[in-house]
Amino acid sequence: MRQEKIKQCSCALGKAMSALGSKWKPIIVLVIKDRTLRFGEIAARISVISRKVLTDQLREMEVDSLVTRQEFKELPPRVEYKLTEKGLALLPILNLLEEWEKEFEMTEKKLDVIV
C-alpha cells in the first residue's frame, strides 16, 4: 500500500512517485506496453509477483488513471488491462531509465576490470 505522506504531497514529483513509487508498477507498465493483456497474461510475464500483489498494484494504477480495466461478463470471467494515455506517456521515461542503468552498468563493469 502507498504511504499516506507521499500520497498527500502537493508537489508534482511527489504525486508522480505516489502513482509509480512501488517496485512493481514500472514493470507492469513495461509489460503491458501498447497492448491489451488479460490478468493471467500479466501474471505469467511477471512470474515473481504474487497474484494478490499484482491485483493490488493494478487497482492502484486504475485509481491513478494509468490503466483501464475492462471486465467481461462471461464464464470463466475475463478481465483485460490496457494503459491509458497517461500510462503510455510513461513508456519513454521508463525506457530512459533502462538506458541510464545500462550506461552506468557498463561503466561499473569497466571499473571492476581496471581495479
Side-chain angles (χ1 to χ4, degrees):
M1 286 307 224
R2 297 186 232 188
Q3 294 177 344
E4 288 300 314
K5 289 180 183 178
I6 294 175
K7 191 176 177 182
Q8 294 173 0
C9 184
S10 61
C11 70
L13 183 59
K15 289 178 182 177
M17 292 308 297
S18 173
L20 256 187
S22 81
K23 68 180 177 181
W24 296 114
K25 290 178 186 174
I27 295 168
I28 294 168
V29 169
L30 287 174
V31 164
I32 296 175
K33 293 184 184 175
D34 57 354
R35 57 191 165 206
T36 301
L37 291 177
R38 295 175 70 167
F39 179 86
E41 293 173 308
I42 299 169
R45 287 182 162 95
I46 313 172
S47 60
V48 293
I49 190 172
S50 74
R51 287 184 170 268
K52 183 195 180 321
V53 171
L54 179 57
T55 298
D56 292 344
Q57 297 296 288
L58 286 167
R59 284 182 183 154
E60 287 181 13
M61 292 171 74
E62 188 178 5
V63 168
D64 291 326
S65 301
L66 297 176
V67 297
T68 58
R69 178 182 190 270
Q70 186 173 9
E71 188 174 335
F72 297 88
K73 304 291 183 190
E74 52 190 44
L75 290 174
R78 178 171 53 120
V79 177
E80 294 180 343
Y81 292 90
K82 183 177 184 178
L83 292 179
T84 62
E85 186 178 335
K86 183 178 179 181
L88 287 168
L90 286 169
L91 290 172
I93 297 165
L94 295 176
N95 288 332
L96 283 172
L97 282 171
E98 284 182 316
E99 290 174 24
W100 172 76
E101 174 56 27
K102 287 176 186 174
E103 177 184 338
F104 287 97
E105 180 181 62
M106 292 299 181
T107 303
E108 291 169 2
K109 287 181 181 179
K110 288 178 185 176
L111 287 175
D112 288 342
V113 172
I114 295 170
V115 175

